[in-house]
Every structure is written in C-alpha cells, then in structure tokens.
C-alpha cells in the first residue's frame, strides 16, 4: 500500500470526518448529564473506530479488505454498546454517527471499486448481521428496529446509490470521450480520402497534361528553324519539366501523409 496521492482528497476528507466523529462521540459521552458511557464498552468501541478509520485511505486499492474491517468495527460498536431501556436504541449507538458514515463509505467502495467475487458477499453478510443485532428482532420495539435500520441499512443504500451513480457518470463520460475520438478519426479518414483523391487527380490529369505540354514544346524545338521559337520552346520545355518534378514531389508528400493516417 502507498500513501494516497493528492487527487484522493475525498478519501482523506472522509477519514478526517470519521476521526472527528469519534472525538465528538467521546465528548458527548463525557458529558455528565448523558450518563450512559460509564461502562468501558463505548470507550473501547471508540478506540477501535479511531484505529481502523485510516484504512479507508486505501479503499480504492483494497475495497474488500477495508469494507470487512469497517463492517467489523460497526459490529463491535453494536456489541460493546451498553444495554438500553425497553423499546429504545442505545444512546451510544444514537450519537455514534461513525457507523453511518463508515457503512456508506464501505458499500460505496465495494460497489464502485470491488470486483464481482464471492468475497463481496462477506461484507453483505456482515452488514446483515450488524443490522439484525442493532435492530434486536428478538425483542421487537419501534425504537430499536427503526434505529437499527437507520444505523446500517439506510447508509448502505445511500452508499450503493452514490457508487452506482458514480459508475454511470464514469461510463457516460467514457462513452462521450470514445464518441469524440471516433469523430476525430472519421474526420481524419475523410481528410485522408480527400488527399488521396487530390493526389490521384494530380497524377492522372494535371501530370498528364503537363507531360503533353513538355512533349509538344520539345517537338516544336526540334522541328522549327527559327532560333527565337526554338529558344522559347526550350524554355517552355524546361519550365514544364521543373513543374513535373515539383508536382511529383507534392503527390509523394500527399501519399505519405495518407499512409501515415492509415
């Protein structure tokens, strides 16, 4: 693993938010009027959350492992939370927003960066276990069931939605870039075909006519007895030959450009 590059600022920001939430939960638990953090369980859970938060810096490189670690952290937080009154969710779980953010980031990483392997089902299974333990279906009450679902299920759905949306936006962007590349290639091909047509016209039509002019000028030079006419015919033949050479060079350049584009 390597330290994330500056482009991964969102991941660094997520870890900072998670650590701030751990500190904020500890501050709330230390308030005298809360009175529910007297047992060591919540403090142990906060320490575990603080230690495993940095793993999300590598969520793109090891999405499955970071997801498993994050989900296990949520499970330990639920198991270490003190018992609540009947029909209520534990105060520690109510103020511990770390689990919601961690679950959302976990599912987002798994859906967006994880490969479709059997290991993905490990995370889904752990999320289901955390949801069941937090909701306490063996002692069903509205407060515990609602709180358990909002702790895990709702953030997981949000993370999955954001990941699916991100993948869709990425695919649309890639399609747009591919369409732009195809359009540029089509334009290059059209220009190449136009150059090929121009080279063919120059070779078949213009070169042929200049060659006739050169031959006729040579014939005039050979058949006339007038020195001035002979000199003019020779100049015309010389200029025509030079024009033929330049025209052949131009045709060669056009054909080379067409071959390079092909």
């Amino acid at each position: 693993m390597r330290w994330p590059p500056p482009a991964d600022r969102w991941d660094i920001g997520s870890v900072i938010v998670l650590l701030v939430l751990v500190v904020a939960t500890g501050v709330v638990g230390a308030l005298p009027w809360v009175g529910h953090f007297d047992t060591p369980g919540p403090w142990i859970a906060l320490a575990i959350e603080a230690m495993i938060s940095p793993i999300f810096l590598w969520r793109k490189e090891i999405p499955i492992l970071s997801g498993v670690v994050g989900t296990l952290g949520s499970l330990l937080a639920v198991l270490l939370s003190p018992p609540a009154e009947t029909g209520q969710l534990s105060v520690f779980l109510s103020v511990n927003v770390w689990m919601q953010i961690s679950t959302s980031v976990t599912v987002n990483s798994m859906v967006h960066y994880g490969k479709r392997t059997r290991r993905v089902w490990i995370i889904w299974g752990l999320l289901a276990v955390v949801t069941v333990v937090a909701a306490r279906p063996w002692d069903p009450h509205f407060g515990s069931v609602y709180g358990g679902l909002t702790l895990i299920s709702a953030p997981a759905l949000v993370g999955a939605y954001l990941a699916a949306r991100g993948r869709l936006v990425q695919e649309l962007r890639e399609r747009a870039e591919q369409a732009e590349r195809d359009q540029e290639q089509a334009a290059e091909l059209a220009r190449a075909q136009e150059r090929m047509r121009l080279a063919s016209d120059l070779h078949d039509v213009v070169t042929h006519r200049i060659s006739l002019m050169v031959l006729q000028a040579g014939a005039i030079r050979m058949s006339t007895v007038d020195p001035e006419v002979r000199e003019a015919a020779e100049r015309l033949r010389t200029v025509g030959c030079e024009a033929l050479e330049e025209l052949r060079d131009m045709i060669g350049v056009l054909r080379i450009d067409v071959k390079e584009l092909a």
Side-chain angles (χ1 to χ4, degrees):
M1 293 188 297
R2 56 180 177 81
W3 186 257
D8 296 333
R9 295 175 181 175
W10 193 92
D11 297 334
I12 298 175
S14 300
V15 173
I16 293 175
V17 169
L18 290 173
L19 294 175
V20 169
L21 291 175
V22 171
V23 175
T25 306
V27 171
V28 172
L31 296 176
W33 56 83
V34 175
H36 285 77
F37 284 30
D38 295 335
T39 60
W43 301 107
I44 297 175
L46 290 176
I48 294 174
E49 292 172 358
M51 287 188 294
I52 67 177
S53 293
I55 197 173
F56 288 109
L57 290 173
W58 295 275
R59 69 187 188 96
K60 296 179 181 179
E61 298 180 358
I62 48 172
I64 304 299
L65 179 59
S66 62
V68 171
V69 172
T71 308
L72 287 176
S74 299
L75 179 60
L76 290 176
V78 173
L79 295 175
L80 293 173
S81 61
E85 298 180 3
T86 303
Q88 296 181 357
L89 186 67
S90 170
V91 173
F92 172 68
L93 297 181
S94 300
V95 299
N96 187 14
V97 191
W98 183 94
M99 287 190 295
Q100 287 90 320
I101 304 298
S102 172
T103 301
S104 181
V105 174
T106 293
V107 176
N108 184 281
S109 304
M110 180 179 60
V111 175
H112 195 81
Y113 303 105
K115 299 180 180 179
R116 297 181 180 274
T117 60
R118 294 182 179 180
R119 291 177 295 178
V120 172
W121 293 103
I122 298 176
I123 299 179
W124 287 117
L126 290 174
L127 290 173
V129 171
V130 178
T131 303
V132 171
V133 174
R136 299 175 62 85
W138 56 87
D139 187 17
H141 295 283
F142 175 78
S144 60
V145 174
Y146 175 77
L149 293 177
T150 55
L151 282 175
I152 305 299
S153 299
L157 293 176
V158 171
Y161 166 75
L162 293 176
R165 182 177 178 274
R167 293 181 64 176
L168 177 61
V169 171
Q170 183 178 357
E171 290 178 359
L172 292 176
R173 185 182 297 111
E174 291 176 354
R175 290 181 182 179
E177 293 175 353
Q178 182 63 38
E180 185 176 356
R181 289 193 295 267
D182 292 342
Q183 186 175 4
E184 292 178 355
Q185 292 178 356
E188 290 292 338
L189 180 60
R191 286 193 288 268
Q193 292 176 348
E194 182 64 21
R195 291 177 182 176
M196 181 65 73
R197 186 191 64 79
L198 180 60
S200 178
D201 291 344
L202 289 175
H203 181 271
D204 296 340
V205 179
V206 181
T207 303
H208 177 68
R209 293 184 179 180
I210 295 178
S211 299
L212 290 178
M213 292 171 57
V214 171
L215 291 175
Q216 290 176 0
I220 293 174
R221 184 179 65 84
M222 297 296 296
S223 61
T224 185
V225 294
D226 190 341
E228 295 182 358
V229 174
R230 180 176 296 178
E231 183 179 357
E234 178 62 21
R235 287 199 302 269
L236 180 61
R237 190 187 69 82
T238 302
V239 172
C241 291
E242 293 176 353
L244 279 175
E245 291 296 330
E246 294 177 356
L247 189 58
R248 290 192 181 98
D249 292 339
M250 185 182 300
I251 294 173
V253 171
L254 288 175
R255 289 177 174 173
I256 290 175
D257 291 342
V258 170
K259 291 180 179 179
E260 290 178 353
L261 290 175

